[in-house]
Amino acid sequence: MRLSATIRGIGYTFASVKEVLAKANPPKSGDDLAKVSARDAVERVAARAVLSELTLDDLRQNPVVPYEEDELTRLVDDSLDPAAFAAVRALTVGQFREWLLEAKTTGPLIRSISPGLTPEMAAAVAKLMSNLDLMVAGAKCEVVVRANATLGLPGRFSSRLQPNHPTDDVQGILLSTREGLSYGCGDAVIGVNPATDSAESTAEILTALHSLRTRNQIPTQHCVLSHVTVQMRALDLGAPMDLMFQSLSGSEKGNRAFGISVSLMDEAFEKMKDGRTSAGPNFMYFETGQGSALSSAAHHGADQVTLEARCYGFARRYKPFLVNTVVGFIGPEYLEDGPQITRAGLEDHFMGKLLGLPMGCDACFTYHSGMSQNELESLKVLLCAAGCSYLMSLPVGDDIMLNYQSTSFHDIPTVRGLLGRRPTPEFDAWLSATGIMDGDRPGERFGDPGVIR
């Protein structure tokens, strides 16, 4: 394994695979903050040259957090599919990139080797790709899952309806939900970020959303994004729960900061097997985001793209219905501006899909970052074109509870119309039956929340 390269007559030597991965990364303010980024563009080229010649087996043998120190590393390595890994282990990262982009490499072929890939492999090949490469390869990776509706089919584009309320007022949440549904949003999930993280409040919101969904025979899923332990207590109270949610980090130490572990998530998964109200078989929901491990000093000197990929290695254990990266929410300390947020969104979508996840994205930014509304709208179109399963949807794209800018109720039907996408088949039929949509065009009741009782 060679960790050196010569560029313009100057030799560059790297101490470890972890350093190569970090310095091959496109510029990110989070990597600068962690002091792991390349010194300049030439060192970045040298790192990419070295990375392109490493084999996928080299990456398996050199995870960014050692096997004996981290339960996520052990989880990934112990569960790797031997036959799938054997099919790709000898490929260099450069060869793997070329294989993924070849016209003859289809989605089913990629899915066949996905169980043999570690997160470090997914992160490594992403670092050698352009934004367009990430879109082309991501669009090939079809991942189809089912809860009460079927997500991820070709030609489909879904949304999470996000009816947050700053005081968890249930009537306010329901009013916002009705509005979003009237614009054709919410086929991925109706998911509320609660202001009050209590089992009683979680149960109250879940019960109200379940009543609305069943009364109107809406073929979707509902979820309250409180901590997993709170949701488990709400389930014990008898709350109707279609999906169970948790935020994930890319290291054992980062997950401890979130108050979770592999054993806790295993317990939650088993509890949902019998306690859920969705049909399944997929019923877990995870959120991630570049920079989460660094924000809790749990990054182990690794770069944020590789740590983000490790979140996906954790998530795939539970065969989730939804995963999304909240790409610009943590702040400019980690993703500084429009180009960095755009790049991160495309990286995360590709890596998640490559590792076999039904990947969505919260294309968003905080108000002190350097991203414009035009750049955010461009990212939404890029993600849809890349085969992203779903985006968020909320009133005018402005979350009054979490205080950040995301995707509006109006954006979802607009992007669908622009790129010829439709919602999930079940939800599509419901929209037609209610008059909200007329095929792929707005129907007579489009934008009328009174159609939902």
Side-chain angles (χ1 to χ4, degrees), residues 196-209:
T196 307
D197 204 23
S198 72
E200 292 74 17
S201 175
T202 294
E204 182 184 16
I205 298 169
L206 284 169
T207 300
L209 291 175

Side-chain angles (χ1 to χ4, degrees), residues 214-417:
T214 55
R215 185 169 63 250
N216 291 276
Q217 298 182 312
I218 307 169
T220 187
Q221 302 67 225
H222 71 290
C223 182
V224 174
L225 285 71
S226 47
H227 191 270
V228 67
T229 55
V230 174
Q231 292 169 84
M232 291 166 73
R233 292 198 297 273
L235 206 56
D236 289 337
L237 293 174
M241 190 178 298
D242 289 342
L243 305 178
M244 182 171 277
F245 167 84
Q246 181 55 44
S247 294
L248 303 181
S249 185
S251 70
E252 180 181 350
K253 185 177 179 183
N255 284 312
R256 280 203 301 267
F258 283 162
I260 64 168
S261 63
V262 172
S263 61
L264 177 62
M265 294 312 303
D266 285 353
E267 181 184 351
F269 179 80
E270 291 300 320
K271 198 176 189 72
M272 275 292 281
K273 274 185 178 179
D274 297 322
R276 70 181 190 273
T277 45
S278 58
N282 311 104
F283 50 80
M284 299 298 284
Y285 176 17
F286 299 115
E287 279 190 346
T288 67
Q290 288 190 26
S292 63
L294 176 58
S295 68
S296 57
H299 60 296
H300 295 270
D303 69 278
Q304 61 189 42
V305 171
T306 305
L307 285 165
E308 176 69 9
R310 286 169 59 89
C311 296
Y312 307 144
F314 186 12
R316 71 178 174 181
R317 175 177 178 83
Y318 305 102
K319 299 178 175 58
F321 180 70
L322 300 175
V323 180
N324 69 260
T325 170
V326 191
V327 70
F329 181 72
I330 301 180
E333 302 88 347
Y334 309 100
L335 295 169
E336 183 175 11
D337 53 21
Q340 289 190 13
I341 292 172
T342 297
R343 174 73 189 185
L346 297 175
E347 288 168 339
D348 295 354
H349 171 258
F350 161 73
M351 293 190 298
K353 281 285 187 68
L354 180 61
L355 291 172
L357 297 176
M359 201 68 195
C361 184
D362 188 349
C364 62
F365 63 87
T366 56
Y367 296 109
H368 60 311
S369 69
M371 190 176 205
S372 70
Q373 185 65 34
N374 284 337
E375 288 174 308
L376 182 61
E377 291 176 358
S378 295
L379 175 56
K380 297 166 190 176
V381 175
L382 293 175
L383 284 165
C384 182
C388 186
S389 294
Y390 68 102
L391 296 179
M392 306 299 113
S393 58
L394 48 147
V396 299
D398 188 1
D399 193 303
I400 58 173
M401 198 273 277
L402 294 175
N403 205 27
Y404 76 115
Q405 196 71 26
S406 184
T407 309
S408 77
F409 291 152
H410 298 77
D411 290 338
I412 298 302
T414 300
V415 174
R416 281 178 182 152

